[in-house]
Amino acid sequence: MAGAAAIAEGEAEPPPMAPPVPEPVRPAPVPAEPAPAASPSQKLLDAKVRLHRRLIEELNLSAVEKLPEAELRREIHGIIAQWVVAERLALNAKELEAFVSEVIDEMTGLGPLEPLLKDPSISDILINGHQNIYVERRGVLEPVPSLFKDEAHLMRIIQKIVSAVGRRVDESSPLCDARMLDGSRFNCAIRPIGVDGPLVSIRKFSKSKLSLDKLIEVGAIRPAMAELLAAAVKCRVTTIISGGTGSGKTTMLNALSAYIPHTERLITIEDAAELQLQQPHVARMETRPPNIEGKGEIRQRDLVKNALRMRPERIILGECRGEEAFDMLQAMNTGHEGSMATIHANNPREAISRLEQMIGMAGLPMSQLSIRGQIAAAIRLIVQLQRLPDGKRRVTSVAEITGMEGEVIQMQEIFKYVRTGTDPDGSIQGHHVATGVRPRFLQDLMAHGIHIPGSCFDPSKPL
């Protein structure tokens, strides 16, 4: 009947109008446009999320967590192999194993983040919404393919991270800063703070301890400079390590701490515990953020004050960023020489200015001259680090504070890094040189039986 009606319509209208009859067929190519939805990677991702939900619904998760990893993998492998056949997914044996690993990561780990966290070449993971992901390798950012199905998938992973460390994140408290179970630093900002979706940054905890020898190998520092810094740490020369974000301040602090005598009692104070000191007698303390009611916060200043009552011989402050700078200087001036701290600054002179500002945050009635006097008396050495545009990290300056002249803190540079050019591939060319200035604390080193040859400070000789 439908065919007859069509024919009848064709007879009723003039022959020239016949072409419009197939006209509606022309849009037929339009269904071919939604090809992107059929991409294999998207199909696998959808299947993984779907199978993960079914596993959670059907399995006893409390019993699953108690199974050994090999037995868990065997059980999940059998279930997934059946589902892959039912879902008609074209996977070979190797792809099936990878698929099983991804589903297990979703169940017991952090899902798509697990491979990135296990990759030793990655130092930072940066997520700007579920579709925009970057990682840092050897100091250079590079994009990676989207790993999350949608924003809800990313939010589920975020909730798993924060709940594991006793924190929460939701619309009422959209910011969270925490230390993950493996020691990595985690920070997130979700909607409404994150306009385009959740923003996540993970600074991975380095399991390998870089020594000064390793830093010499990679060109971050020269042997003569390393020899001087190691001797300064042994002889309790109070040192500040300055640099920008990601310049290697914590790495340098860890490397220098290896030269602290093992007979000394050390107390470390950090926002997120990252230091890996190699001494046997280390007491570690970490700040605590306020709870959901805004109470219970413990700041670095509180910990510095408490540390002074714990018989420390040196206090290591992971990062000085506020009013705790005053208490730190007090400690350095009252029998805790050799203490160390890191600070964000672009050069040694700016590091001193930032210290002045941070001491002012304490709100004490101190004149600028008095503050500068405290700094000049407490700190002897400033080590400046920088991450260059090509991603390499270098010690760009080693400077000594020599005291006050009038109202100005006097400083002399001992070593510096000189940039000489840039290669076509973007690599920075440069070298370290001595300025010709001999540090005043050489006399202290000699008193401890440590002799640094004068050739180390000769600008005409290579370091």
Side-chain angles (χ1 to χ4, degrees):
M1 292 294 292
I7 293 170
E9 278 185 359
E11 289 176 354
E13 295 184 12
M17 297 300 293
V21 176
E23 193 83 20
V25 182
R26 284 184 186 171
V30 175
E33 260 184 27
S39 78
S41 60
Q42 185 63 35
K43 188 178 179 183
L44 276 178
L45 187 57
D46 291 344
K48 181 178 69 174
V49 173
R50 191 163 61 252
L51 296 185
H52 173 241
R53 287 182 185 144
R54 288 180 61 180
L55 278 171
I56 288 178
E57 290 170 3
E58 296 180 15
L59 295 179
N60 182 349
L61 290 182
S62 59
V64 164
E65 290 176 354
K66 297 176 183 175
L67 286 177
E69 186 176 348
E71 188 175 342
L72 173 63
R73 175 173 285 274
R74 191 165 54 251
E75 292 285 336
I76 300 296
H77 191 287
I79 296 171
I80 290 179
Q82 297 175 6
W83 280 351
V84 164
V85 173
E87 293 277 344
R88 296 183 179 178
L89 298 176
L91 299 178
N92 59 34
K94 186 177 180 181
E95 290 169 337
L96 179 61
E97 282 299 324
F99 190 71
V100 169
S101 297
E102 289 175 4
V103 173
I104 291 176
D105 285 342
E106 285 283 348
M107 291 182 61
T108 62
L110 299 178
L113 294 181
E114 283 291 334
L116 303 182
L117 291 169
K118 292 173 183 175
D119 188 340
S121 68
I122 294 175
S123 56
D124 281 273
I125 302 169
L126 307 170
I127 303 171
N128 310 322
H130 72 281
Q131 291 182 318
N132 197 0
I133 305 170
Y134 286 82
V135 297
E136 182 188 280
R137 282 190 174 95
R138 293 173 290 279
V140 179
L141 290 177
E142 57 185 62
V144 296
S146 178
L147 304 169
F148 299 96
K149 174 179 169 57
D150 49 29
E151 191 170 314
H153 186 193
L154 173 56
M155 279 302 303
R156 189 167 74 248
I157 299 300
I158 290 174
Q159 294 292 358
K160 187 179 284 191
I161 292 172
V162 298
S163 61
V165 294
R167 305 282 175 83
R168 63 191 292 270
V169 58
D170 52 31
E171 284 190 8
S172 61
S173 54
L175 298 175
C176 181
D177 189 53
R179 178 168 54 87
M180 295 168 64
L181 297 177
D182 67 348
S184 300
R185 288 176 62 176
F186 171 85
N187 182 277
C188 75
I190 66 170
R191 295 183 189 272
I193 300 298
V195 177
D196 300 318
L199 304 175
V200 177
S201 61
I202 300 175
R203 168 70 60 83
K204 285 175 59 179
F205 181 75
S206 175
K207 295 179 174 60
S208 60
K209 299 170 181 155
L210 288 182
S211 63
L212 276 183
D213 291 336
K214 183 65 176 176
L215 293 177
I216 292 170
E217 280 181 34
V218 299
I221 192 172
R222 299 302 300 155
M225 301 164 67
E227 185 180 357
L228 180 69
L229 294 181
V233 170
K234 288 178 187 175
C235 299
R236 302 180 68 96
V237 174
T238 303
T239 304
I240 294 289
I241 299 172
S242 166
T245 301
S247 58
K249 299 185 299 296
T250 303
T251 299
M252 177 59 71
L253 189 54
N254 277 325
L256 292 179
S257 70
Y259 298 92
I260 298 175
H262 284 212
T263 55
E264 296 186 14
R265 172 174 167 80
L266 312 180
I267 295 183
T268 67
I269 297 169
E270 301 173 82
D271 267 338
E274 292 180 286
L275 294 175
Q276 305 175 62
L277 302 190
Q278 294 130 41
Q279 281 68 21
H281 200 162
V282 179
R284 304 168 71 204
M285 292 195 289
E286 189 177 50
T287 60
R288 187 178 72 183
N291 58 22
I292 191 171
E293 298 172 353
K295 299 177 181 177
E297 179 182 17
I298 298 179
R299 301 169 302 164
Q300 280 194 334
R301 187 175 189 186
D302 303 321
L303 295 180
V304 174
K305 288 180 179 177
N306 190 72
L308 295 174
R309 305 185 182 101
M310 299 172 68
R311 197 208 169 274
E313 287 176 284
R314 300 195 201 207
I315 296 176
I316 313 294
L317 196 59
E319 186 175 324
C320 187
R321 62 174 64 163
E323 67 270 17
E324 67 273 3
F326 173 75
D327 301 279
M328 179 191 73
L329 287 182
Q330 293 296 304
M332 292 174 174
N333 275 324
T334 54
H336 302 94
E337 296 88 357
S339 296
M340 294 190 284
T342 68
I343 185 172
H344 277 86
N346 294 325
N347 56 63
R349 179 61 64 180
E350 189 178 318
I352 293 176
S353 299
R354 288 215 63 217
L355 276 173
E356 288 184 43
Q357 294 163 7
M358 289 188 288
I359 292 171
M361 292 180 188
L364 299 172
M366 294 177 65
S367 66
Q368 189 179 55
L369 182 61
S370 176
I371 292 174
R372 289 179 177 175
Q374 290 271 351
I375 294 173
I379 299 169
R380 300 284 300 279
L381 200 60
I382 298 179
V383 180
Q384 180 70 38
L385 293 105
Q386 184 180 348
R387 183 173 61 178
L388 302 178
D390 61 357
K392 295 174 183 174
R393 295 166 173 86
R394 296 287 182 265
V395 175
T396 56
S397 178
V398 176
E400 179 189 24
I401 294 178
T402 57
M404 293 279 293
E405 187 172 315
E407 296 187 2
V408 179
I409 296 176
Q410 294 299 301
M411 182 186 300
Q412 58 183 13
E413 195 170 39
I414 303 166
F415 300 107
K416 64 181 179 180
Y417 181 76
V418 179
R419 287 176 57 172
T420 55
T422 305
D423 287 344
D425 63 355
S427 298
I428 304 297
Q429 294 298 314
H431 58 274
H432 291 94
V433 297
T435 61
V437 175
R438 294 169 64 89
R440 294 190 180 181
F441 61 80
L442 281 182
Q443 295 179 352
D444 296 338
L445 302 187
M446 292 176 66
H448 283 81
I450 299 174
H451 177 69
I452 305 292
S455 59
C456 291
F457 310 107
D458 188 347
S460 64
K461 295 183 180 179
L463 291 177

